Amino acid sequence: MELSDQRPEVAGRLKSGPEEARKRWFLDHYESVPREIEQFLAGTGIDFRGKRVVDLGCGDGSIALGVMNKFKPADLLGLELEHVDVEYLAQRAKKFLGIELPGGLRFGTCEPESIPVANAMSDLVMSWSVFEHVANPVVVMQEIHRILRPGGLMFLQIWPLYHSQRGSHLWNWYPDGWEHLQKSSNELRTEFIEKFELDEALQKEMLVDYDSLNRITVDQLQKAILASGLIIRRVELQSDLIDVPESLNHLSLNDLTTSGIKILAQRK
Ligand SMILES: C[S@@+](CC[C@H](N)C(=O)[O-])C[C@H]1O[C@@H](n2cnc3c(N)ncnc32)[C@H](O)[C@@H]1O
């Protein structure tokens, strides 16, 4: 089954990946993600200009760069658990777009359960494809609440949600999907390693992705947001037409069909 927002070939996320794949990966993050954010926020009147934005779990920084250039916040702080290779980001910006990194775009590291930003110092916290990997979503949501000023906004996106067809994040290798709901984690890990003779770096990246999945559902995400004190303002669910394997008939149809979510919340 074709998926409308399937992300580009994952080899493009590796510095050692083929240049064409790296370019597609970079441009998808730089252009398509900000466009999706713009579409989701349409009609809200939300304007990033002059705002202090945090991109939590910014990955390689390409989305942060795209958001910075498209929406022109005053500053944007991209945070990751490990150092972002800013030099590599700058190289790709130069090579694929012919631009320099803008002033106001900064990167730093954070801890899994703490964000190094003072209370109420952010106008907007965004997080793209991160919350399905966060070990303790309730605590991180409380951190987001803490760093937002009153009235400040949080935008987050998750795709694919764990219980949906591509929820393993291994869709490049399992085009039919559902493998993670039909095999134990150990079986799937072993099969993935043995069956697909991947480049070592790519295998490591994919297994880190898979192992970090917290299996959060839409309902659990809602609870985490509300528990932090944030108010939910807008939601978009992505629901897919699926052929339900008989072995999965007992699982929640809401979970099986809901492959993604975008959500806007606000600090009171
Ligand atoms: C699938 S990647 C997405 C990266 C980037 N947002 C993107 O879309 O390209 C998920 C990222 O979430 C980060 N992450 C996981 N838990 C986190 C936490 N508690 N705080 C900040 N980042 C976290 C991981 O380090 C990883 O880089």
Side-chain angles (χ1 to χ4, degrees), residues 200-260:
E200 200 181 322
L202 186 58
Q203 183 185 87
K204 185 165 169 245
E205 289 251 340
M206 295 320 301
L207 288 175
V208 165
D209 259 13
Y210 174 68
D211 289 338
S212 63
L213 293 173
N214 59 19
R215 309 186 179 192
I216 197 165
T217 64
V218 170
D219 290 344
Q220 289 164 346
L221 180 65
Q222 178 185 14
K223 284 197 179 107
I225 294 173
L226 296 180
S228 76
L230 294 171
I231 298 170
I232 296 168
R233 293 292 187 203
R234 175 174 278 204
V235 182
E236 183 180 5
L237 294 180
Q238 182 174 342
S239 178
D240 297 331
L241 171 68
I242 60 169
D243 295 309
V244 187
E246 191 176 340
S247 62
L248 303 184
N249 263 236
H250 62 291
L251 297 178
S252 153
L253 292 182
N254 278 333
D255 291 345
L256 293 175
T257 53
T258 308
S259 60

Side-chain angles (χ1 to χ4, degrees), residues 120-123 145-153 266-268:
M121 286 306 288
S122 305
D123 297 301
H145 181 276
R146 178 187 66 73
I147 69 168
L148 283 173
R149 66 164 168 79
L153 297 164
Q266 187 166 34
R267 180 172 173 175
K268 275 192 263 184

Side-chain angles (χ1 to χ4, degrees), residues 10-11 169-176 192 195-196 198 202 206:
V10 288
H169 288 50
L170 302 174
W171 59 85
N172 276 197
W173 298 274
Y174 292 95
D176 295 336
F192 183 71
K195 188 166 164 191
F196 310 106
L198 294 192
L202 186 58
M206 295 320 301

Side-chain angles (χ1 to χ4, degrees), residues 13 25 29 33 55-63 79-82 110-115 127-136 140 157 169 209 212:
R13 67 196 261 177
W25 176 269
H29 285 68
V33 173
D55 180 3
L56 186 66
C58 66
D60 64 7
S62 46
I63 294 175
L79 291 172
E80 251 305 333
L81 298 177
E82 296 190 4
C110 62
E111 297 297 322
E113 297 190 1
S114 77
I115 306 177
S127 203
W128 185 274
S129 293
V130 172
F131 258 78
E132 75 272 35
H133 299 281
V134 165
N136 193 337
V140 176
Q157 176 270 11
H169 288 50
D209 259 13
S212 63

Side-chain angles (χ1 to χ4, degrees), residues 2-62:
E2 287 294 314
L3 286 175
S4 55
D5 67 351
Q6 196 163 324
R7 297 277 155 224
E9 207 195 329
V10 288
R13 67 196 261 177
L14 292 180
K15 289 176 194 168
S16 57
E19 169 139 332
E20 211 25 61
R22 291 193 303 114
K23 183 173 180 181
R24 273 201 305 277
W25 176 269
F26 175 77
L27 291 179
D28 178 77
H29 285 68
Y30 178 82
E31 286 169 355
S32 310
V33 173
R35 200 180 314 127
E36 278 193 48
I37 295 174
E38 183 177 49
Q39 284 165 359
F40 174 72
L41 297 179
T44 59
I46 293 169
D47 186 356
F48 286 56
R49 276 175 201 272
K51 302 285 182 354
R52 297 156 302 178
V53 176
V54 170
D55 180 3
L56 186 66
C58 66
D60 64 7
S62 46

